[in-house]
């Protein structure tokens, strides 16, 4: 039962993050705009990093994910300011692309580790 609630919460957060990205990219005015965009910017990089930290202590992975999310957002903002290229849309798009890239890395990494585990079992 707890697993179902956790899965439903994960889907709810994912949908809220997608809504935040869409709101930012298409400049949609809504009262939930600050909350949803902030949720997207904080959750997506952290979730991507946590996904790469396979078989780790959950609290440590969560801490590293939160720190990585903040670091990524601060470095992105600093780079945009340094190059005089401030754009909230570009920031959201960059975070989305980096999150997608880390997700692809996670899929490739887990696929590789699953193949080696299956090969070891066959021997």
């Amino acid at each position: 039962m707890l697993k179902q609630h956790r899965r439903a919460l994960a889907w709810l957060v994912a949908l809220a993050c997608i809504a935040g990205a869409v709101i930012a990219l298409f400049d949609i005015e809504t009262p939930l705009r600050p909350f949803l965009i902030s949720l997207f910017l904080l959750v997506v990089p952290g979730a991507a990093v946590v996904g790469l930290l396979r078989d780790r202590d959950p609290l440590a992975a969560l801490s590293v994910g939160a720190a990585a999310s903040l670091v990524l957002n601060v470095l992105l903002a600093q780079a945009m300011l340094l190059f005089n290229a401030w754009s909230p849309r570009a920031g959201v798009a960059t975070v989305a692309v980096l999150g997608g890239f880390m997700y692809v890395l996670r899929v490739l990494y887990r696929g590789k580790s699953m193949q080696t585990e299956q090969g070891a079992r066959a021997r």
Side-chain angles (χ1 to χ4, degrees), residues 37-115:
I37 293 173
S38 298
L39 185 71
F40 171 80
L41 290 173
L42 293 174
V43 169
V44 168
V49 169
V50 168
L52 291 173
L53 298 174
R54 178 174 83 87
D55 299 331
R56 302 284 190 244
D57 176 38
L59 184 60
L62 186 62
S63 300
V64 169
S69 182
L70 290 173
V71 166
L72 179 77
N73 283 302
V74 168
L75 287 176
L76 178 61
Q78 287 290 327
M80 288 168 50
L81 289 172
L82 179 68
F83 294 114
N84 201 19
W86 182 258
S87 170
R89 286 182 180 171
V92 168
T94 304
V95 168
V97 167
L98 289 173
F101 177 70
M102 286 189 268
Y103 179 75
V104 168
L105 283 177
R106 179 180 126 190
V107 169
L108 292 174
Y109 177 70
R110 291 208 177 184
K112 182 180 177 182
S113 66
M114 288 178 67
Q115 287 174 356

